């Protein structure tokens, strides 16, 4: 059992095989689409005009921009009640289940650890029975702590540029995949940067991961 600093996590025991570290929001659980629905329910609207939340949330009653502190409060309320709102991303559970024949899978979410239990239940409800790490620390050092100097292939999947580049810095041999579930936000997203491959959806991600494992198998 290894320990990741500043994180809460399930028991982690890695086998002598490839490792897939996978983000949750917008990758295996829909985030933007249900958060839009939640905001509507709370009298706000998320207008996807750029790849961010702040500055794109508006009051339905007044048409004015919702202040950042209020967006933060709404996000906190959304995560507290996430099991009423978030749904699985199409094909994610099937792809991961198939990949788990060949690789260990660990979820790495940037969610505050206080929401860990509700998220754990939500994941298990949708068939995502893999260990989860919840931490607000940078993802690169977390992947390094997990994988260390092992020779096995390692894959990291995330929707956010900064997270992908953090892992690229700390574990440069990682296959980095950018996956964004929401169509409108995917269209608005900046290129995830050098060394990152864009996966259109889960079947595409699965294909890229298998090809990577085949290419470096000894
Ligand atoms: Mg995410």
């Amino acid at each position: 059992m290894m320990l990741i600093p500043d994180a809460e996590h399930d028991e982690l025991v890695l086998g002598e095989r490839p490792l897939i570290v996978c983000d949750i929001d917008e990758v295996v659980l829909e985030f933007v689409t249900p958060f839009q629905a939640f905001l509507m329910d709370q009298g706000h609207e998320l207008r996807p005009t750029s790849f961010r939340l702040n500055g794109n949330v508006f009051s339905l009653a007044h048409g004015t921009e919702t202040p950042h502190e209020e967006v933060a409060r709404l996000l906190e309320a959304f995560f507290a009640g996430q099991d009423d709102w978030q749904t699985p991303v199409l094909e994610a559970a099937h792809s991961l289940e198939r990949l788990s024949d060949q690789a260990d899978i660990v979820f790495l979410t940037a969610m505050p650890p206080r929401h860990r239990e509700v998220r754990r239940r939500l994941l298990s409800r949708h068939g995502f029975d893999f260990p989860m790490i919840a931490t607000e620390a940078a993802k690169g050092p977390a992947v390094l702590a997990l994988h260390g100097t092992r020779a096995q292939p390692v894959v990291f999947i995330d929707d956010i540029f900064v997270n992908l580049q953090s892992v690229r810095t700390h574990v440069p041999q990682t296959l980095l995949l950018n996956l964004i579930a929401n169509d409108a936000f995917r269209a608005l997203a900046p290129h995830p940067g050098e060394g990152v491959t864009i996966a259109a959806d889960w079947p595409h991600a699965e294909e890229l991961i298998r090809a990577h494992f085949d290419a470096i198998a000894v």
Side-chain angles (χ1 to χ4, degrees), residues 80-192:
Q82 59 185 276
D83 49 339
D84 290 333
W85 296 93
Q86 290 192 271
T87 53
V89 170
L90 200 65
E91 288 301 322
H94 290 136
S95 284
L96 286 173
E97 187 59 42
R98 283 189 294 266
L99 287 164
S100 71
D101 288 348
Q102 212 179 337
D104 286 324
I105 293 161
V106 175
F107 290 124
L108 178 59
T109 183
M111 165 168 290
R114 63 182 169 278
H115 299 303
R116 187 178 169 282
E117 267 180 47
V118 57
R119 169 143 288 184
R120 179 70 268 169
R121 279 200 307 276
L122 175 59
L123 287 171
S124 298
R125 189 203 296 167
H126 293 298
F128 297 111
D129 292 316
F130 306 108
M132 179 185 72
I133 303 165
T135 177
E136 291 181 288
K139 292 203 175 181
V143 174
L144 181 61
L146 255 180
H147 189 63
T149 57
R150 299 169 355 122
Q152 286 84 359
V154 54
V155 179
F156 177 69
I157 313 164
D158 205 289
D159 58 321
I160 304 290
F161 176 102
V162 171
N163 297 335
L164 289 157
Q165 292 300 327
S166 171
V167 173
R168 183 166 181 253
T169 301
H170 288 86
V171 192
Q173 73 273 30
T174 307
L175 172 69
L176 301 166
L177 298 183
N178 180 230
L179 197 150
I180 302 173
N182 183 271
D183 292 334
F185 266 67
R186 188 183 329 109
L188 291 166
H191 189 274

